[in-house]
Amino acid sequence: MTTGEKTPVLEMRGVSKRYGGVRALDGARLAARAGEVHGLLGPNGSGKSTLNKVLAGSVRPDTAEISLGGESVRIGSPRAAAALGVAAVYQQLSVLPDLSVLDNLVLGAEPTRAGLLSRKAAEALALPLLERLSGALGEVRPEQLAGRLTPSQQQLIEIAKAVLRRPRILILDEATASLHRDQVQVVFDLVRELRDAGCCILFVSHRLDEVMALCDRATILRSGQTVATVDIAETTPEELVRTMVGDVQAAERGHRELPEDAPTLLEVEHLTGSGLDGVSLTARAGEVIGLGGLQGQGQSELLQALFGAVRASGTVRVAGRQVRIGSPRQARRHGIALVPGDRGTQGLMAARPIQENLSIASLGLRSVAGALVPARERAAARRMVDALQMRIGGLDDPVSSLSGGNAQKVVFGKWLLTQPRVVLLDDPTKGVDIGAKGEIYRIIRRLVADGATVIINSSEDRELVTVCDRVLVLFEGRVRSEIVGEQITEERLVAQALRIGEGEQAA
């Protein structure tokens, strides 16, 4: 196996990036060689994708030193990255559906003759690679509209588009996630050919078996920092998981034994829709259930479907009664509340007063003969401010004046005033500081102590360890395993997330 020269073709040092109160990268470093497939590993939120996007020019770091071939470079945009020979493929599709397959393949690098676009030259460039991928693509014609292809075919077109640019460095960030087993094998054969021709490939996958089969070395990130670079031939999957997790098993966790007679509050059977493939679950009163697995496996879609924000088929029962949830209004009527992941666009009216934001979801509970009573509204808002220990100036201040943690408390307070029985939390501590996190955990414990059921999706495995009684691990829109009680550890969560799907890419 050729691993190229020992001198790195790529070096990244001191890479830091902060999003509000969250430090996505904290002095991360990476050194990769020409002629190698270099894995990037780490648990959810470790900084893998952010590091790749810094290299690809789509994220501007706060600090970074980047060298290509020993020369210091600045990468301020995707165009600058492409000019330096960096190409990237992500899990999120970016094909243009109204253009043909051929036009998508040469987009941005269209061959010309005498200053004019040349279709003959474009075909000469692209058709050999289409033929090379035909075993994975199936019946795909160059003139066919890309929007009529399946998601896996579109993903292969994305990969082919990047390869056609003959990159010096190719980033594959979860680019095989939507591919079937046979398609993955074709891509791997192509990647090995690129490696042997001297290309450096940075590879991110949620399937650990893919990393073991394809990569020569791997760099492991944890909490935005680089913790190790290892030779794949000299390690094991178990050692990789232990390195990813680190010595962090002592997360403060108050394990509670639920009463045996705790009633079942929520039952879901075969929920199917966008991003969901027959999800079933039950949840009892007073229970915190986590949604684990790599991000993007249907966790947010499940919460959105249960809240009626997206359409899904299946059966939902609340307190034993089958209910129809076709909209958020119907969900609220059945005692279901959602604290969304993006509070700025989904949870708050930033320019409106704190009081309005707090009371808007529960106005009907306090109205008298259909009319609002200002004194009641103000008293309810003040009661919630005190209960959640919000630090505010006044109730008439705009919610945009609050810190991230206090703004998130407003979202919680808005829904607590509806007296919910089922509380859905989509990454509820995203972008808040460690102190605010602790206060949000206290709110969660208060909810379940009062008999509510909480279902939480988190981008931090440590958070699931801290607050959950059970964790359902999702993969490709389905619940694939369950971890209960004291068995919930970061190491087990990471291992389950990475190993689910080994040998089971859907046909």
Side-chain angles (χ1 to χ4, degrees):
M1 179 182 294
T2 300
T3 55
E5 299 296 326
K6 295 299 182 182
T7 302
V9 68
L10 166 68
E11 287 188 274
M12 304 178 73
R13 298 177 296 274
V15 186
S16 296
K17 177 64 178 178
R18 181 186 289 274
Y19 295 99
V22 175
R23 189 179 288 278
L25 292 172
D26 185 10
R29 65 187 187 280
L30 170 67
R33 303 167 186 157
E36 77 167 345
V37 183
H38 196 106
L40 272 180
L41 302 177
N44 286 338
S46 60
K48 305 183 298 294
S49 290
T50 304
L51 188 64
N52 277 335
K53 288 176 180 177
V54 168
L55 178 59
S58 56
V59 166
R60 291 197 175 187
D62 299 327
T63 62
E65 296 178 30
I66 304 175
S67 298
L68 294 178
E71 295 184 8
S72 180
V73 297
R74 265 188 87 187
I75 305 177
S77 67
R79 184 185 295 267
L84 292 166
V86 179
V89 183
Y90 304 104
Q91 184 177 1
Q92 295 78 20
L93 296 172
S94 62
V95 298
L96 298 181
D98 295 328
L99 293 184
S100 70
V101 168
L102 180 64
D103 289 338
N104 269 278
L105 285 171
V106 300
L107 187 66
E110 298 89 342
T112 60
R113 286 183 179 172
L116 299 174
L117 298 180
S118 170
R119 182 170 183 83
K120 184 174 290 187
E123 289 176 345
L125 177 67
L127 293 188
L129 186 55
L130 275 181
E131 178 64 26
R132 173 74 178 77
L133 294 174
S134 61
L137 277 169
E139 295 292 329
V140 172
R141 302 181 308 279
E143 67 276 9
Q144 189 172 347
L145 288 180
R148 295 184 178 178
L149 302 182
T150 66
S152 62
Q153 289 174 321
Q154 291 184 29
Q155 184 71 81
L156 288 165
I157 295 301
E158 297 262 22
I159 294 171
K161 176 181 174 181
V163 170
L164 279 177
R165 281 147 181 75
R166 298 187 177 94
R168 191 179 188 184
I169 297 170
L170 174 62
I171 300 167
L172 297 177
D173 193 339
E174 301 281 14
T176 61
S178 63
L179 302 184
H180 306 163
R181 184 195 304 235
D182 293 342
Q183 293 173 320
V184 169
Q185 191 56 55
V186 171
V187 171
F188 279 14
D189 290 343
L190 181 60
V191 166
R192 292 186 180 107
E193 291 176 14
L194 293 170
R195 177 198 65 192
D196 294 342
C199 182
C200 171
I201 299 97
L202 299 182
F203 183 74
V204 178
S205 174
H206 61 245
R207 296 173 176 135
L208 200 56
D209 61 325
E210 292 186 355
V211 174
M212 299 299 294
L214 185 65
C215 294
D216 303 305
R217 296 191 302 150
T219 290
I220 299 168
L221 300 177
R222 188 169 67 234
S223 301
Q225 299 180 334
T226 300
V227 295
T229 296
V230 300
D231 289 314
I232 292 298
E234 298 175 2
T235 190
T236 66
E238 292 75 20
E239 289 172 346
L240 288 175
V241 169
R242 282 195 293 271
T243 306
M244 278 186 266
V245 173
D247 185 22
V248 291
Q249 295 305 308
E252 293 183 10
R253 182 172 185 278
H255 177 61
R256 304 171 300 115
E257 292 290 343
L258 290 177
E260 291 185 4
D261 60 350
T264 297
L265 196 52
L266 177 69
E267 298 170 90
V268 178
E269 294 178 0
H270 309 300
L271 199 64
T272 300
S274 176
L276 301 175
D277 184 17
V279 172
S280 296
L281 63 90
T282 61
R284 294 192 289 168
E287 187 174 27
V288 181
I289 293 182
L291 303 179
L294 272 293
Q295 290 175 265
Q297 301 302 309
Q299 297 94 332
S300 291
E301 289 85 350
L302 174 57
L303 299 182
Q304 293 282 336
L306 290 174
F307 190 59
V310 298
R311 292 291 181 95
S313 62
T315 302
V316 178
R317 297 184 184 88
V318 178
R321 177 188 171 200
Q322 184 169 332
V323 298
R324 181 179 180 276
I325 303 176
S327 68
R329 176 173 294 182
Q330 288 180 327
R332 185 177 61 203
R333 191 177 302 138
H334 296 304
I336 300 175
L338 171 68
V339 176
D342 187 350
R343 61 177 174 270
T345 60
Q346 298 175 326
L348 296 171
M349 301 176 291
R352 303 304 301 167
I354 295 168
Q355 178 177 321
E356 285 186 24
N357 276 275
L358 281 168
S359 62
I360 190 167
S362 57
L363 293 172
L365 297 179
R366 294 179 299 276
S367 63
V368 177
L372 297 180
V373 181
R376 285 192 178 189
E377 296 306 310
R378 203 158 186 85
R382 173 54 62 187
R383 188 167 66 251
M384 196 53 60
V385 166
D386 293 342
L388 302 186
Q389 299 179 16
M390 298 181 199
R391 288 179 285 279
I392 68 171
L395 288 173
D396 295 326
D397 292 346
V399 78
S400 59
S401 67
L402 300 179
S403 67
N406 283 291
Q408 189 70 322
K409 288 182 183 181
V410 172
V411 183
F412 269 92
K414 173 176 74 174
W415 290 109
L416 290 178
L417 283 171
T418 68
Q419 302 170 13
R421 293 185 288 179
V422 177
V423 182
L424 312 173
L425 306 179
D426 195 355
D427 223 356
T429 64
K430 181 178 181 180
V432 305
D433 61 40
I434 191 168
K437 281 187 179 184
E439 293 175 1
I440 289 172
Y441 297 160
R442 180 180 59 80
I443 295 170
I444 293 172
R445 294 187 181 104
R446 168 186 161 179
L447 283 166
V448 294
D450 290 341
T453 291
V454 172
I455 302 179
I456 177 173
N457 168 41
S458 175
S459 56
E460 296 183 25
D461 292 328
R462 186 179 180 85
E463 188 158 85
L464 298 179
V465 174
T466 301
V467 302
C468 294
D469 302 301
R470 281 192 292 145
V471 175
L472 307 178
V473 181
L474 273 71
F475 180 77
E476 296 181 349
R478 300 178 66 185
V479 176
R480 299 300 182 97
S481 68
E482 178 179 285
I483 310 174
V484 181
E486 298 298 339
Q487 298 299 310
I488 304 172
T489 65
E490 287 193 67
E491 184 169 345
R492 188 167 278 109
L493 285 170
V494 171
Q496 289 285 327
L498 291 172
R499 287 181 175 142
I500 286 176
E502 288 186 7
E504 3 173 317
Q505 288 94 318

